[in-house]
Amino acid sequence: MEFKEVIGNRRSIRFFEPDKPVEREKIQTMLEASRLASCAVNAHWAKAIVIERDKLPEDKLEQLKTPVTALNVELAPVHIYWYADLGVVNRIEGSRLRELVDVGALAPTHGWTHKFVDEFVYPQILRPMTEGPGYAVAAAADCGIAMCQALLTAFDEGLGACFSAFNSNIAKEVFNVPNDWVPLYVLLVGYPAESPAAGGQRPRPPFEEQYYDGAFGTPFQRDEAVVERLKQANMIQQPATPGNQERMDEIKRLAERLGLPM
Ligand SMILES: Cc1cc2nc3c(=O)[nH]c(=O)nc-3n(C[C@H](O)[C@H](O)[C@H](O)COP(=O)(O)O)c2cc1C
């Protein structure tokens, strides 16, 4: 699938084929995509634990649910629990930056040497950063990038997926999660039971409300010719509309087939 089409086709899928197994190689492909994500100082905070739903004890599955995710968690055959490993920076002490220096990704033209990493970047920027109040937020933002690559890859592989909140206390106990891993979200994965369009692209705030040109207050003007080109490329697709009868009928059919309450 073309890159723009993958972006356009993605929806948060909440109706999965509950009994259709997901090939392990597709899960690996998602993780491979995640591992290749760009990452601040090449630290790679993002960690994931892959769980096959049916291998979870019934009571633990129940306890992992939250009020906003219960059915998603139950229907998805594979769960990928994501964490930010906050301990990584002080474990690796700049070694992954030195690797970037060694392969010429960080070049001496830009001031990068082992000495710069060892005597300045790690002790004066990175280590203090781990003690600052914004550290977890920075690490989580970084993980989001890796998580998104896994998410998009799921759709490229013909799967459906949705990020969800989860009960992190239970997960910590059941999955043996290290103490310095901060829980983020679970990526629920499976074959979609809903149609690929799933009612259309979900509502978004206006473009000009989100993006600014030069400074806050001057909206970045949306060029309709670009919008048209992205429609042709299937990145911008038919929007979901309130009360769409076709979608309501689809939900009814799914509820009947999967035995869900309406
Ligand atoms: C980090 C993150 C967490 C989310 N958590 C939940 C959740 O707990 N439950 C849920 O039903 N959807 C969850 N979602 C899905 C969003 O609600 C979704 O993005 C929204 O429905 C917009 O639609 P779309 O993803 O289909 O474009 C989450 C999405 C993200 C990116």
Side-chain angles (χ1 to χ4, degrees):
M1 219 188 297
E2 291 295 323
F3 177 72
K4 291 190 181 68
E5 197 161 20
V6 175
I7 293 181
N9 284 352
R10 189 207 59 77
R11 311 273 184 280
S12 286
I13 293 296
R14 295 184 175 87
F15 294 94
F16 298 98
E17 291 297 347
D19 300 320
K20 185 166 176 181
V22 177
E23 298 83 345
R24 197 174 166 83
E25 66 171 86
K26 293 196 173 186
I27 299 298
Q28 182 181 340
T29 304
M30 292 169 61
L31 300 174
E32 299 278 0
S34 172
R35 178 172 168 267
L36 292 176
S38 186
C39 175
V41 295
N42 217 24
H44 296 276
W45 284 272
K47 296 283 195 299
I49 300 179
V50 178
I51 300 293
E52 289 175 48
R53 178 205 56 203
D54 291 347
K55 289 188 179 163
L56 277 173
E58 191 85 23
D59 60 323
K60 299 298 176 198
L61 180 66
E62 276 309 307
Q63 291 169 10
L64 282 165
K65 294 175 183 174
T66 74
V68 290
T69 61
L71 185 59
N72 308 357
V73 165
E74 196 171 302
L75 292 177
V78 178
H79 302 177
I80 307 179
Y81 292 84
W82 291 92
Y83 293 87
D85 169 10
L86 295 190
V88 69
V89 169
N90 290 328
R91 275 200 314 277
I92 62 176
E93 298 187 335
S95 65
R96 291 184 189 151
L97 278 174
R98 289 195 296 275
E99 283 178 337
L100 293 182
V101 170
D102 291 342
V103 299
L106 292 175
T109 46
H110 293 57
W112 287 95
T113 59
H114 279 209
K115 189 174 154 58
F116 182 57
V117 172
D118 293 340
E119 294 181 9
F120 179 67
V121 181
Y122 174 63
Q124 294 195 42
I125 299 179
L126 299 184
R127 197 171 42 212
M129 173 185 81
T130 65
E131 287 149 16
Y135 177 50
V137 175
D142 201 282
C143 292
I145 292 163
M147 291 155 67
C148 186
Q149 293 207 176
L151 172 70
L152 291 173
T153 302
F155 288 81
D156 193 49
E157 292 288 314
L159 299 166
C162 180
F163 277 112
S164 286
F166 65 96
N167 184 334
S168 57
N169 292 332
I170 298 297
K172 186 171 185 337
E173 169 200 322
V174 180
F175 311 142
N176 195 23
V177 175
N179 288 333
D180 53 2
W181 287 17
V182 171
L184 299 172
Y185 290 94
V186 55
L187 183 56
L188 301 171
V189 187
Y191 281 93
E194 42 193 321
S195 59
Q201 277 182 335
R202 277 68 192 266
R204 291 290 187 265
F207 183 91
E208 289 84 357
E209 229 174 69
Q210 301 296 106
Y211 312 113
Y212 296 89
D213 201 353
F216 173 73
T218 308
F220 189 101
Q221 287 303 316
R222 201 178 193 200
D223 180 343
E224 283 308 316
V226 175
V227 171
E228 197 45 46
R229 183 169 68 78
L230 298 178
K231 284 182 180 170
Q232 294 302 322
N234 266 340
M235 186 170 132
I236 299 180
Q237 302 183 4
Q238 194 68 23
T241 49
N244 178 309
Q245 197 53 50
E246 219 174 290
R247 177 61 174 169
M248 298 308 149
D249 292 344
E250 180 180 34
I251 293 174
K252 199 157 169 262
R253 281 196 306 278
L254 285 164
E256 279 164 14
R257 180 161 74 79
L258 301 172
L260 309 172
M262 265 294 273

